[in-house]
């Protein structure tokens, strides 16, 4: 019997009695989904999963992205898995050593932002290298009525080049990634298709609001990001080998912290569940 234990005040639940090496039953999938809708981040500990197990688990919750928007970071032989590592891979220095270094929601710079992400820890950093998550439903609900009415009408323009450390990557890959992902506007407030909850959809990768200048937008973006990431709205995950963390990208943001020795191994595998089509290109 699967049990859920809350992990912080604002979001996150640990689920026990799941073995990723086995296929999930219908009832289990439903229970996990309910916890997911309620808590936005779910954590499984002490797993002994291989790439096939991660893919099978993730596919129980939707279709997987083959990561065409960032095609250079796919695991050899597994296009539905992204390898996030400090170590060389596919015979080259890692281009994913600095993934996720500012608050964001995955694939928000695409026309099909990720519904959810499933991240498996093969090897954690020896010390540090935690990931933090914040609750964007709560961020929306704790705004004043007036501010909610303002953000209800906004469209966030997402720009992949605002990904922290983006220009430290290989120059030709940077150019190709920008070509594949031109700036795109999404509603700044989205309704979750499963739970019906409204969530704020802004991040540190938003350049401005559509129809507004960057000078006008910047103070509002900064306010919303700092409001959303207040301590009481955050769960901080300290990784152990065999952890699986699944987050809903429609109701959370996350950031991968840099407080570890990046010459040491930190190795993760990520599957990404495709979300609904959304947004319009702003040119
Ligand atoms: O490495 C991490 O902890 C998370 C990186 C990230 O942003 C992601 O996998 O989407
Ligand atoms: Fe991410």
């Amino acid at each position: 019997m699967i049990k859920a234990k809350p992990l912080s005040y604002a979001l996150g639940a640990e689920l026990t009695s799941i073995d990723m090496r086995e296929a999930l039953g219908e009832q289990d999938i439903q229970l996990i989904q309910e916890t997911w809708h309620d808590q936005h981040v779910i954590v499984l500990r002490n797993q002994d999963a291989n790439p096939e197990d991660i893919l099978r688990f993730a596919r129980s919750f939707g279709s997987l992205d083959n990561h065409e928007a960032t095609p250079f970071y796919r695991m050899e032989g597994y296009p539905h898995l992204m390898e996030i590592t400090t170590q060389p891979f596919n015979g080259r220095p890692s281009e994913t050593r600095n993934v996720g270094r500012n608050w964001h929601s995955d694939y928000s710079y695409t026309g099909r932002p990720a519904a959810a992400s499933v991240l498996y820890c093969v090897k954690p950093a020896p010390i540090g290298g935690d990931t933090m998550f914040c609750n964007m439903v709560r961020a929306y609900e704790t705004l004043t009525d007036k501010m909610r009415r303002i953000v209800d009408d906004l469209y966030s323009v997402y720009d992949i080049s605002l990904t922290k450390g983006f220009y430290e990557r290989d120059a030709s890959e940077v150019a190709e990634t920008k070509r594949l992902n031109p700036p795109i506007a999404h509603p700044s407030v989205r309704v979750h298709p499963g739970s019906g909850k409204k969530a704020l959809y802004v991040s540190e990768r938003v350049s401005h609001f559509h129809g507004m200048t960057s000078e006008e937008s910047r103070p509002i973006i900064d306010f919303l990001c700092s409001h959303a990431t207040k301590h009481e709205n955050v769960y901080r995950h300290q990784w152990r080998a065999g952890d699986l963390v699944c987050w809903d990208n429609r109701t959370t943001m996350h950031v991968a912290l840099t407080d570890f020795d990046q010459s040491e191994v930190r190795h993760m595998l990520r599957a990404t569940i495709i979300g609904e089509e959304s947004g319009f290109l702003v040119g």
Side-chain angles (χ1 to χ4, degrees), residues 246-271:
C246 314
W247 61 89
D248 196 315
N249 282 295
R250 297 161 298 197
T251 56
T252 63
M253 285 197 290
H254 59 283
V255 62
L257 302 180
T258 49
D259 61 341
F260 69 101
D261 177 351
Q262 298 191 26
S263 66
E264 298 274 1
V265 183
R266 180 183 187 272
H267 195 126
M268 323 285 273
L269 295 176
R270 191 185 98 195

Side-chain angles (χ1 to χ4, degrees), residues 94-134:
S94 170
E95 289 294 319
T96 56
R97 65 191 179 278
N98 62 1
V99 163
R101 299 292 189 237
N102 51 1
W103 282 101
H104 68 283
S105 170
D106 291 335
Y107 276 178
S108 46
Y109 48 77
T110 74
R112 286 199 82 169
S117 300
V118 168
L119 189 63
Y120 182 73
C121 180
V122 179
K123 197 167 190 331
I127 191 156
D130 296 354
T131 307
M132 301 205 294
F133 300 88
C134 73

Side-chain angles (χ1 to χ4, degrees), residues 178-251:
K178 277 180 75 164
R179 192 189 66 75
L180 288 170
N181 301 285
I184 186 164
H186 295 292
S188 303
V189 176
R190 295 168 79 198
V191 178
H192 191 286
S195 67
K197 291 178 185 168
K198 277 174 111 174
L200 198 57
Y201 197 59
V202 294
S203 84
E204 292 182 342
R205 298 179 183 174
V206 172
S207 57
H208 62 286
F209 296 110
H210 184 58
M212 290 170 66
T213 63
S214 27
E215 289 80 2
E216 288 170 332
S217 309
R218 180 50 45 201
I220 308 176
I221 298 167
D222 289 347
F223 162 71
L224 292 171
C225 287
S226 68
H227 170 75
T229 59
K230 281 183 184 158
H231 296 168
E232 66 268 29
N233 201 33
V234 166
Y235 165 64
R236 177 169 176 155
H237 187 77
Q238 201 169 15
W239 293 97
R240 298 199 296 241
D243 282 357
L244 184 84
V245 178
C246 314
W247 61 89
D248 196 315
N249 282 295
R250 297 161 298 197
T251 56

